[in-house]
Amino acid sequence: MGPPSSLLQDALLLTGRIDSPFRVDGRDLEAERKRRHDIAIEGSEPGYMDPETGLFVLTAHFLAARGRCCGSGCRHCPYPEVEQSRAGRPKRKR
């Protein structure tokens, strides 16, 4: 499943559910990401547009519903580190 259609993005922008897929308007970036994640979960959406990069980010609920870790290093991966490693997730930079 890909990112939401431009029609859905336009509807979210018009209703004020997101400010913009590409900007934050001076808000704390992590707080804005959390806000968008929460809105996506409340709306039963698979993900949201990252305010910094414009990339589509899957929610923890969507990833858990898949039933397994894909090993891609998803931001909201709900699986334990050992399962992520088994799936081939790249080592995290600390």
Side-chain angles (χ1 to χ4, degrees):
M1 184 178 303
S5 69
S6 61
L7 183 60
L8 174 58
Q9 286 180 4
D10 291 345
L12 292 172
L13 290 168
L14 289 172
T15 60
R17 290 183 64 194
I18 60 172
D19 302 324
S20 159
F22 304 107
R23 63 188 169 82
V24 184
D25 286 339
R27 294 185 189 170
D28 173 45
L29 193 57
E30 286 305 312
E32 180 63 12
R33 284 179 177 143
K34 180 181 179 339
R35 185 180 81 81
R36 290 180 185 207
H37 185 254
D38 293 345
I39 288 171
I41 288 173
E42 288 172 17
S44 298
E45 297 294 333
Y48 62 93
M49 299 301 287
D50 181 88
E52 182 178 34
T53 65
L55 297 174
F56 191 72
V57 180
L58 297 170
T59 65
H61 286 209
F62 178 84
L63 294 169
R66 291 175 64 188
R68 63 175 178 75
C69 177
C70 64
S72 296
C74 301
R75 178 181 295 160
H76 299 293
C77 183
Y79 299 98
E81 256 187 74
V82 69
E83 191 170 335
Q84 293 176 30
S85 292
R86 204 174 306 131
R89 180 184 180 135
K91 298 286 185 203
R92 291 184 185 184
K93 295 177 184 175
R94 293 181 191 226

